[in-house]
Amino acid sequence: MRPANVIAEQNHPLAIPLRSAPGNLRPPSPRLGNATRTVVRSLTVMQKEALISEANADRTWRLLSDEGAYLNGHDEAPPPLAYLSAGMVASYLNEIHALADIRKIEIDDIEVIQDNFYSMNGSFAKGTMKASAHDIELKAKISSRHDSDTLRSLILDSIASSPLNGLMRGAKESLFRLCHNGSEIDIPGSKKISDPLLPAFEEDSFDILDGNWEGVIEHTRQPSPIMNDTTTFAGGALTETQNRMLHLRVYAKRQPDGIVKIRQHVYNPHGSVFHFTSDEEGRAPSAAALISAGIGFCFMTQLGRYSAMIKKPLKSYQIIQDFHFSRGGATGKTGKAGEAAPLETHVHIRSDETDAFAQSMLEVAEQTCFLHAFCRTPLKAKLTISPLGE
């Protein structure tokens, strides 16, 4: 039986800013220059809300996520991987424009097209199911008087200066603390966060900032175009054995006022087109907020997926995720490559099961989370450049 469609029943915009960060949602003190704290809570098995605060930003955002038919979701909000893609391309565009200004490179117009790929392989029953992340493909379509070598150097250096570069370089094994039914328990075979467990987030009402936020993240109600290798995989993400590839594409441009407009296609498994807006001045979620939400949403999906597959319902579950990263090399004027620390995730689970169940739930969720795989896998961005209009 499909769960209730809570997002549709609430009828809220998919992105809403709060006046301030309530309770323990306040961001941690930055270790590398900036940091986010993200609380993700389950609304139903696959529908989730994220509350994100950022150390170097005035806005706290409430964002919503859902899955499609492939995970028995309602497709009411963007899937987790869409948030990561949107935040990544927004960060790249911000760095490109900032570095172009520093180097006095004139760009008349630029569109970035970004493809993200992930895979899931193995058997759930045998404990071999594992998520993987793969190299990113970027195409920059540019109108500029400068030569291709100058533009290629600009974009490659901008990619390196993005804070996200810190997650793509090397292997960042995530850190955790786990609380089951109100008591912290050990995490076999995993690294613990050195700081104490953060308590569960209990706030249910928020001081929402007045304004019209309907278009910040928009569900177009249109399906993504069909690619030759795309299959719908309706329900396929819940099968016991899997060997499947996921493919998402974003098209993005930065407006003269600094706002980044993004069109998101979910090709495989086939999903809807969503429009995202990102802004570093508080008019929309920042690139870091979108990235942080995506990682948290993806991990929460895997927690819910584990519960669904072994048919053991949860009373409640949530995570509190801290992400420490540098300022952008160009946007933050550091002149350095982007850096990031391992993610720190505090997991709170309530169930009628044993502590061993909660421990297994955490272990499997980390192993099957595409975006924790993104963090622990050295990745490259493969770049092609062409004139705008081709």
Side-chain angles (χ1 to χ4, degrees), residues 101-119:
D101 288 343
I102 292 170
R103 294 183 178 177
K104 302 188 185 308
I105 296 173
E106 297 171 12
I107 296 178
D108 300 320
D109 200 2
I110 179 171
E111 179 183 39
V112 174
I113 303 168
Q114 174 183 292
D115 289 272
N116 291 79
F117 302 92
Y118 308 88
S119 58

Side-chain angles (χ1 to χ4, degrees), residues 77-157:
L81 299 180
Y83 278 95
L84 188 281
S85 292
M88 179 186 295
V89 77
S91 179
Y92 288 164
L93 275 169
N94 291 335
E95 295 300 319
I96 290 168
H97 282 273
L99 190 57
D101 288 343
I102 292 170
R103 294 183 178 177
K104 302 188 185 308
I105 296 173
E106 297 171 12
I107 296 178
D108 300 320
D109 200 2
I110 179 171
E111 179 183 39
V112 174
I113 303 168
Q114 174 183 292
D115 289 272
N116 291 79
F117 302 92
Y118 308 88
S119 58
M120 183 77 80
N121 302 91
S123 164
F124 181 81
K126 295 178 181 178
T128 60
M129 189 174 291
K130 188 173 183 179
S132 299
H134 303 274
D135 288 342
I136 295 93
E137 295 182 3
L138 280 178
K139 175 178 275 190
K141 296 186 175 184
I142 310 175
S143 173
S144 173
R145 66 177 178 82
H146 296 274
D147 62 80
S148 60
D149 288 344
T150 299
L151 297 174
R152 174 174 290 275
S153 176
L154 169 71
I155 296 172
L156 288 175
D157 290 346

Side-chain angles (χ1 to χ4, degrees), residues 49 52 71 104 109 130 157-159 262-263 280 369 379:
E49 70 168 2
I52 307 107
L71 272 170
K104 302 188 185 308
D109 200 2
K130 188 173 183 179
D157 290 346
S158 298
I159 292 169
I262 303 156
R263 185 171 82 255
E280 301 303 310
C369 176
L379 298 171

Side-chain angles (χ1 to χ4, degrees), residues 32-34 56 95 98-99 102 157-158 160-163 165 325-339:
L32 298 175
N34 201 356
N56 294 346
E95 295 300 319
L99 190 57
I102 292 170
D157 290 346
S158 298
S161 70
S162 166
N165 180 62
F325 52 97
S326 64
R327 297 173 184 268
T331 56
K333 296 181 172 59
T334 68
K336 298 179 180 179
E339 295 182 90

Side-chain angles (χ1 to χ4, degrees), residues 206-347:
F206 311 108
D207 189 5
I208 295 172
L209 196 65
D210 293 336
N212 180 11
W213 308 106
E214 292 290 343
V216 174
I217 297 177
E218 180 186 3
H219 194 328
T220 68
R221 303 294 172 181
Q222 298 294 320
S224 297
I226 298 290
M227 300 284 279
N228 290 335
D229 59 351
T230 294
T231 308
T232 59
F233 283 114
L238 294 172
T239 56
E240 192 279 326
T241 302
Q242 295 185 28
N243 179 17
R244 60 191 180 95
M245 180 69 72
L246 290 81
H247 177 199
L248 297 88
R249 176 178 292 172
V250 288
Y251 299 80
K253 280 190 173 187
R254 191 171 185 264
Q255 310 299 309
D257 62 1
I259 291 177
V260 179
K261 297 286 189 180
I262 303 156
R263 185 171 82 255
Q264 171 79 65
H265 291 177
V266 183
Y267 289 137
N268 200 0
H270 191 238
S272 296
V273 175
F274 287 91
H275 291 169
F276 287 81
T277 306
S278 181
D279 177 52
E280 301 303 310
E281 301 298 326
R283 293 166 291 185
S286 68
L290 293 173
I291 291 166
S292 300
I295 298 171
F297 280 142
C298 189
F299 186 69
M300 280 287 286
T301 288
Q302 299 310 319
L303 290 172
R305 179 174 166 273
Y306 177 82
S307 172
M309 289 190 71
I310 65 171
K311 296 180 172 55
K312 291 186 177 180
L314 304 171
K315 292 180 178 177
S316 67
Y317 60 111
Q318 69 166 260
I319 65 168
I320 305 172
Q321 170 191 282
D322 285 353
F323 175 30
H324 290 268
F325 52 97
S326 64
R327 297 173 184 268
T331 56
K333 296 181 172 59
T334 68
K336 298 179 180 179
E339 295 182 90
L343 291 169
E344 300 179 358
T345 306
H346 304 252
V347 182

Side-chain angles (χ1 to χ4, degrees), residues 16-22 25 51-53 58-62:
I16 304 175
L18 311 183
R19 289 188 184 276
S20 60
L25 181 58
L51 303 164
I52 307 107
S53 62
D58 294 331
R59 291 279 188 271
T60 295
W61 287 88
R62 178 184 187 255

